[in-house]
Amino acid sequence: MKKKNWPTHSILVIAIVATWIQTYIVYHTSFDMKIENMMQQFILFINPLSFLLFIYGLSLFFKSPKTRNRYIVVTSIILAIVLYANAVFYRFFTDFITIPVLFQTSNFGDLGTSAKESVYLTDIFYFTDVAIILIAIKWLKIGEKVSVIKPAIRRAYFVLAAAVLFLNLGLAEIERPQLLTRSFDREMLVKNIGSYNYHLYDLYIQSKSHAQRALADGSELVEVNNYVRSNQAEPNAEMFGLADGRNLIVVSMESLQNFVINNDMNGHEITPFLNSLTKDKDTFYFSNFYHQTGLGKTSDSEFLVENSLYPLGGGAVFFTHSGNKFHSMAESLNEEGYFTNVMHPNSKSFWNRDMMYQALSVQKFYDVNDYVVNEGDAVNWGMKDIPFFEQSVDHMAEMPQPFYSRLITLTNHFPFDLEEEDQFIPPYDSNSRTLNKYFQTVRYMDEALKSFFDDLKAKGLYDNSIIVMYGDHYGISENHNVAMSKYLGKEITPYESAKLQRVPFFVHIPNSGVGKEMTETAGQIDIRPTILHLLGVETAKDMQLGADVFSEDHEDFTIFRNGGFVTDKFVYAGNACYDNSTGTEIDIENCQPYIERATQELGYSDQIINGDLLRFYDSKTGNLLIDEAEKEKP
Ligand code: GP9
Ligand code: MN
């Protein structure tokens, strides 16, 4: 094959196309990604392109075609290795590589032993694109002479690459709003922005938190520690140890807001079971209890429960700081001899749970692979709550006791889809399809909780357990204010929006006879000290920002992640101060002292997380490890 006059940039084009197709084939053959529609398929197809255009395009900055070709070959080899490494990693962990796991030797312990078995001769195909590029270079023999590329051409090329990137991001945003700000799931990231861009994104997130960590030293903890100690709430003597030795079951009720409790929709009771609990002699029902989550939604609520610290203002802390040192509730209960676990029938990498649960010292994560999802058992985001609870109780029956199981429900999740057989009440009739369906999925979840209690009783687990349930975050956003105002029969002001952030919180202690409605203002940050004290576990040395709601010292002051807050007297929302009992706007001066405290407290929490300060804290003695902090300084 003697050279025709091949265009100067043939090798560049061949490299881009070869690696592009290669990547797309690897997506389909090596990873198990759920593709639900044509749009997702299309995004998957185009998503490697923008990165490949950029990275191979850098060759345009070299003058000599030889150097250009050499750059292209080296790049293709590196990309093939990255893709192949992901494929091998996926064989083990059904997950994509994230930078922190490269430094987690425990993962690679497993990897090392059976690495041989998971590398096959046929894996050579992962390097097909490299071979194609080498052959092309050999056969096409593109002109040896130095050719300078006009800056205008180069500019046009990179504008094109940027356009492809924006097209990709635009489509991804339509398919999965807030993908990058919330960064839900590695699989979702790879599906939408491509494996290469995903690694860049991961690099950015990890290096940002790494830099903040490197700049922090333990001396910052002195001030935080003083604040925590001065706000500490002593346990209530009558409540402390009330549930000593029992199993702890914590249920995260997806998207459940408090406005549905003891309420009806066009004459239909929405939560008959939970309503019965609000009047139950063994149940504390908190009616002025707020979620405090940010962009990390469910995972933020988990973070609050485990750590009694605030999640972050931007991004999901489960993603950004899973490499941190934490002293979680699971860790405390491990030390008390509990078998600690989380149950959630979704892919384990969602919200980076698989990684974060290691940092939180959760002993076992029952993910979707620990459940049998039969035909008809799934709807919307995955397994339905009723079979989920049923199989979870089966798992519990096998666990060593006492156990701490945290269960995360899923059916009452946006877009609130439900099959007809599970619709116990009709939809609502507002202009918002979302709100209309919400009542039905809430009603379903209520039914699921009822059957969960029955399952626990049937397996003999009920009497010796304490069951704590909380709504994880809002389900109906402010986009549905018109419909909400029709339902509630009042205008949705910033004050009302703030009050709508109330989520139900139940503490059910079978046969205790001490239950009642609790009206104090509290939030998710208070869950951990409250529970630990009920189990008879001291928290005086814990670095936590919440307080036991049963304590005399508990203050009616709950801070939202956005800096707003609620006290028994005031609500601060949308930069305005309101009278909590009437909802009328009042002079900002009333809120001012709390505004400062809210900023201070959120700031301390952020400092702990961003600086990874708990590595300088000995949770057993309560000592600050400042000397070691000094040692770590560069
Ligand atoms: C996903 C589930 C829902 O596993 O927890 O997450 P959300 O979107 O509510 O944060
Ligand atoms: Mn949720």
Side-chain angles (χ1 to χ4, degrees), residues 44-61:
L44 188 73
F45 177 65
I46 63 156
N47 74 30
L49 186 57
S50 63
F51 177 81
L52 296 176
L53 282 168
F54 273 110
I55 197 80
Y56 281 129
L58 294 180
S59 66
L60 297 175
F61 288 95

Side-chain angles (χ1 to χ4, degrees), residues 254-255 297-298 413 472-473:
E254 179 57 47
S255 302
K297 302 294 266 310
T298 309
H413 193 287
D472 63 350
H473 49 75

Side-chain angles (χ1 to χ4, degrees), residues 182 252-256 293 296-299 301-302 344 351 353 381 408-410 412-414 471-474:
R182 295 188 54 198
S252 156
M253 299 181 289
E254 179 57 47
S255 302
L256 189 64
T293 61
K297 302 294 266 310
T298 309
S299 67
S301 75
E302 297 182 58
H344 181 51
W351 284 134
R353 285 185 173 106
W381 275 48
I408 304 168
T409 63
L410 198 54
N412 187 42
H413 193 287
F414 178 84
D472 63 350
H473 49 75
Y474 66 81

Side-chain angles (χ1 to χ4, degrees), residues 412-475:
N412 187 42
H413 193 287
F414 178 84
F416 310 113
D417 287 333
L418 202 59
E419 280 147 6
E420 227 172 288
E421 65 194 54
D422 298 318
Q423 299 176 2
F424 305 118
I425 56 173
Y428 185 50
D429 54 358
S430 71
N431 70 345
S432 158
R433 251 172 67 79
T434 301
L435 180 64
N436 297 352
K437 293 193 288 175
Y438 179 71
F439 291 104
Q440 296 178 296
T441 46
V442 169
R443 176 65 186 82
Y444 172 85
M445 178 161 61
D446 183 77
E447 197 66 23
L449 289 164
K450 179 168 171 247
S451 71
F452 176 51
F453 275 56
D454 292 339
D455 294 341
L456 287 170
K457 286 176 189 163
K459 292 272 183 207
L461 292 165
Y462 173 79
D463 290 312
N464 195 32
S465 296
I466 160 174
I467 304 163
V468 175
M469 307 190 283
Y470 67 92
D472 63 350
H473 49 75
Y474 66 81

Side-chain angles (χ1 to χ4, degrees), residues 319-443:
F319 257 96
T320 54
H321 291 83
S322 63
N324 273 22
K325 176 87 196 133
F326 292 108
H327 295 299
S328 65
M329 179 153 81
E331 183 183 292
S332 294
L333 292 175
N334 285 340
E335 280 158 20
E336 300 294 316
Y338 277 71
F339 171 61
T340 58
N341 58 90
V342 178
M343 314 178 105
H344 181 51
N346 195 354
S347 90
K348 62 181 182 174
S349 68
F350 202 98
W351 284 134
N352 197 30
R353 285 185 173 106
D354 50 348
M355 299 296 149
M356 189 57 162
Y357 289 169
Q358 293 181 27
L360 296 177
S361 311
V362 172
Q363 289 178 40
K364 166 129 179 100
F365 178 17
Y366 296 86
D367 65 45
V368 67
N369 295 319
D370 294 287
Y371 290 84
V372 182
V373 187
N374 289 320
E375 177 101 17
D377 278 355
V379 70
N380 196 7
W381 275 48
M383 193 175 191
K384 293 183 195 172
D385 292 345
I386 291 177
F388 160 60
F389 278 131
E390 200 178 301
Q391 291 183 34
S392 297
V393 173
D394 290 344
H395 283 311
M396 286 178 192
E398 304 287 313
M399 288 176 194
Q401 297 195 27
F403 57 75
Y404 160 31
S405 290
R406 201 150 55 70
L407 292 83
I408 304 168
T409 63
L410 198 54
T411 308
N412 187 42
H413 193 287
F414 178 84
F416 310 113
D417 287 333
L418 202 59
E419 280 147 6
E420 227 172 288
E421 65 194 54
D422 298 318
Q423 299 176 2
F424 305 118
I425 56 173
Y428 185 50
D429 54 358
S430 71
N431 70 345
S432 158
R433 251 172 67 79
T434 301
L435 180 64
N436 297 352
K437 293 193 288 175
Y438 179 71
F439 291 104
Q440 296 178 296
T441 46
V442 169
R443 176 65 186 82

